[in-house]
Amino acid sequence: MIKQILLLIAPTILIFIGLSFMQNVLITFILFYGWLLFIPLIIRFWKRKNRTHIKSPLTKKSIMVGVISGVICLVSIYSFVLFFQSSVLDIPQLRQLLKEWDFNGAKVILLVLVLAFINPILEELYWREFMYSRLFIKIGNVLAVMITAIFYSLYHLIVVMEIFSFPFNVLSVIPVFLAGIMWGIFRIKLNSIVAPIISHCLADIGIMLVYWNIIL
């Protein structure tokens, strides 16, 4: 039980250390993505009996579901911020915050590419494959999807508390939670993480478009 709690809460702790304590995006990336990538590999290496094959059949249905849901997410994210940016964003303050986080200069392009393309893969592999598979054995589909969505949303709260003004910073976590539920359902119904990865990728591209066209 303690190990499961650690695996669930560790990504949030690492995000907190990187952003709130060290105030550096690059260090946050190293801590966070290092955990998402290496911890599942280490655990599966040492406990070979618990190894599971990643569910990733590349079917037309999984691709279509991923693309359609992802485009909806992308358009919704960009449109909402575009029309309500004066209410939800203090752009000068946000630019200053990103500067304090060292999210500027030549490395921005690399960081944006990581957020748009590497982040969805690692997050989905961790939450909808690694953690879901571990929890499913003990508590079943519904609770596994709910719990992974909750802890997936938790570290996003740390980020949005700084970016958005109240109460939008708190409310903005709700779509993140719902997205986690949606991607968990895709994982179960399609027996694949292909659709969650594609959908998540397009959603993150929507966020990057907000940064590139509105904030930058």
Side-chain angles (χ1 to χ4, degrees), residues 30 53 56-57 91 99 141 150 162 166 183 186 189 192 203:
I30 293 172
H53 297 289
S56 55
I91 293 180
K99 185 177 180 181
N141 278 330
I150 289 171
E162 300 282 354
F166 185 82
W183 295 328
F186 290 169
K189 296 298 184 182
S192 169

Side-chain angles (χ1 to χ4, degrees), residues 148-169:
T148 53
I150 289 171
F151 282 91
Y152 164 71
S153 306
L154 188 59
Y155 56 80
H156 288 79
L157 182 61
I158 297 174
V159 179
V160 299
M161 287 296 288
E162 300 282 354
I163 292 177
F164 295 109
S165 57
F166 185 82
F168 295 104
N169 48 15

Side-chain angles (χ1 to χ4, degrees), residues 1-9 44 50 52 126-152 187-188:
M1 178 62 72
I2 295 176
K3 183 186 292 186
Q4 303 295 354
I5 294 174
L6 176 61
L7 291 171
L8 288 167
I9 197 67
R44 281 171 173 159
N50 291 333
T52 57
Y126 188 84
W127 293 111
R128 255 62 70 176
E129 181 58 39
F130 175 68
M131 286 308 306
Y132 167 80
S133 297
R134 292 177 67 89
L135 294 173
F136 164 72
I137 297 172
K138 301 178 183 298
I139 59 178
N141 278 330
V142 176
L143 284 178
V145 169
M146 290 289 293
I147 290 174
T148 53
I150 289 171
F151 282 91
Y152 164 71
R187 162 66 173 81
I188 295 170

Side-chain angles (χ1 to χ4, degrees), residues 51-66:
R51 285 183 179 178
T52 57
H53 297 289
I54 294 175
K55 306 293 185 181
S56 55
L58 191 63
T59 64
K60 290 182 179 179
K61 185 175 181 180
S62 64
I63 294 173
M64 183 177 298
V65 169

Side-chain angles (χ1 to χ4, degrees), residues 84-90 93 159-172:
F84 297 101
Q85 58 179 296
S86 60
S87 300
V88 302
L89 292 176
D90 184 336
Q93 180 179 340
V159 179
V160 299
M161 287 296 288
E162 300 282 354
I163 292 177
F164 295 109
S165 57
F166 185 82
F168 295 104
N169 48 15
V170 177
L171 294 175
S172 63

Side-chain angles (χ1 to χ4, degrees), residues 26-106:
L26 183 58
I27 292 175
T28 304
F29 276 29
I30 293 172
L31 293 173
F32 178 67
Y33 294 122
W35 179 275
L36 297 190
L37 177 61
F38 291 112
I39 291 303
L41 293 177
I42 292 171
I43 290 177
R44 281 171 173 159
F45 176 79
W46 287 107
K47 294 194 173 184
R48 298 181 182 183
K49 64 180 181 179
N50 291 333
R51 285 183 179 178
T52 57
H53 297 289
I54 294 175
K55 306 293 185 181
S56 55
L58 191 63
T59 64
K60 290 182 179 179
K61 185 175 181 180
S62 64
I63 294 173
M64 183 177 298
V65 169
V67 170
I68 293 174
S69 61
V71 169
I72 292 172
C73 291
L74 186 158
V75 173
S76 299
I77 292 168
Y78 188 81
S79 299
F80 178 81
V81 178
L82 181 64
F83 289 114
F84 297 101
Q85 58 179 296
S86 60
S87 300
V88 302
L89 292 176
D90 184 336
I91 293 180
Q93 180 179 340
L94 181 52
R95 288 172 179 164
Q96 178 60 32
L97 177 65
L98 292 174
K99 185 177 180 181
E100 292 174 1
W101 285 351
D102 200 28
F103 193 83
N104 54 39

